[in-house]
Amino acid sequence: MSDNTNNTGSPDRDRISTSEDYEVRYWSEKFGVSKEALIEAVKASGSNSPEKVEAYLRQQR
């Protein structure tokens, strides 16, 4: 079942779905990283939480 793009509130905004192209595009632009870097950050941080992914990315800079 595909993600409903009309559901933009919590809890949908509380996680990053790397299987949805539009979410990868949004979060990579928001964090100022490539799509590949975002996907790697989600894997390396062990979480799809935007806060944890952002913290991981800040540590890498």
Side-chain angles (χ1 to χ4, degrees):
M1 183 171 164
S2 66
D3 195 15
N4 184 345
T5 59
N6 294 321
N7 292 338
T8 58
S10 192
D12 195 54
R13 86 176 79 159
D14 295 337
R15 60 184 176 257
I16 300 170
S17 174
T18 56
S19 63
E20 298 292 340
D21 290 337
Y22 70 93
E23 285 198 27
V24 172
R25 186 172 45 252
Y26 170 81
W27 288 109
S28 62
E29 289 175 9
K30 181 167 178 67
F31 294 143
V33 298
S34 69
K35 294 175 184 178
E36 294 80 12
L38 176 74
I39 293 169
E40 179 58 33
V42 169
K43 289 178 186 176
S45 69
S47 174
N48 62 354
S49 160
E51 293 83 12
K52 290 183 180 182
V53 171
E54 183 177 27
Y56 174 83
L57 290 168
R58 286 182 189 209
Q59 289 177 346
Q60 301 307 306
R61 292 185 180 162

